[in-house]
Amino acid sequence: MTSLRFSGLAAVALLAAIGGCKGETAAKETVSEHGMTIKPVTITTADGKAHIFKSEVAANEAQQQQGLMYRARLAPDAGMLFAPYPPDGGPPKAASFWMENTPNALDILFIRADGTIATIGENAVPFSQAKVESGEPIAAVLEIAGGRAGELGIAAGDKVTWK
């Protein structure tokens, strides 16, 4: 009997290990049709509400230069995270973005090194070459659909996190 009990426990342990391996496979990063990793980005507002955006990560210079240009649509819970900014991983610096070849209005959230929002360029005008400026050194930028920041009560000083 003892050997059967031990065998049963061994089988349970083996099944748990196999299940653990499956979980690791399922935890692989999701990649967008544009070849960028997709990560959840959470914005926690001053009143404690958390808003999660499924964001493509523009992590290198080419991806950051392309951004959301030529994208026909951006879902309300989607975004693009420019991180690190600058893409060479250097220290935070002031940034300016424009909307050339971008057909959708965007809210551009400039994020400090401490994860707080410095400024928001709200409803940046599609196809405009006017610069939307951070106003101070920043470490990341999150672009979301135009008007979403206002709809959700997102403001300067709110906290932005991602893994």
Side-chain angles (χ1 to χ4, degrees):
M1 286 283 197
T2 305
S3 63
L4 285 177
R5 183 176 295 160
F6 177 75
S7 296
L9 290 175
V12 169
L14 179 60
L15 288 173
I18 291 169
C21 291
K22 267 185 159 176
E24 288 173 357
T25 302
K28 283 186 179 177
E29 291 184 336
T30 304
V31 177
S32 75
E33 65 185 83
H34 304 285
M36 295 182 209
T37 301
I38 298 174
K39 293 188 180 209
V41 176
T42 303
I43 300 174
T44 305
T45 59
D47 63 2
K49 291 183 182 170
H51 305 284
I52 300 172
F53 295 88
K54 294 180 205 167
S55 302
E56 291 180 88
V57 180
N60 62 47
E61 188 171 348
Q63 292 171 336
Q64 290 188 10
Q65 286 178 358
Q66 179 71 32
L68 289 170
M69 289 195 299
Y70 309 107
R71 302 283 184 96
R73 184 179 176 288
L74 184 64
D77 67 340
M80 180 168 286
L81 179 66
F82 296 75
Y85 186 88
D88 65 8
K93 67 177 191 177
S96 64
F97 280 54
W98 65 25
M99 297 290 290
E100 186 174 7
N101 300 315
T102 307
N104 300 295
L106 299 174
D107 288 345
I108 304 173
L109 290 68
F110 295 99
I111 305 163
R112 298 180 185 105
D114 70 358
T116 59
I117 298 173
T119 56
I120 301 174
E122 294 187 55
N123 279 307
V125 178
F127 301 108
S128 173
Q129 292 184 358
K131 292 180 179 179
V132 180
E133 310 227 359
S134 65
E136 65 181 81
I138 51 99
V141 176
L142 178 65
E143 293 180 337
I144 59 176
R148 288 296 283 159
E151 289 171 11
L152 299 173
I154 296 169
D158 290 347
K159 187 74 172 170
V160 183
T161 56
W162 64 91
K163 290 184 180 182

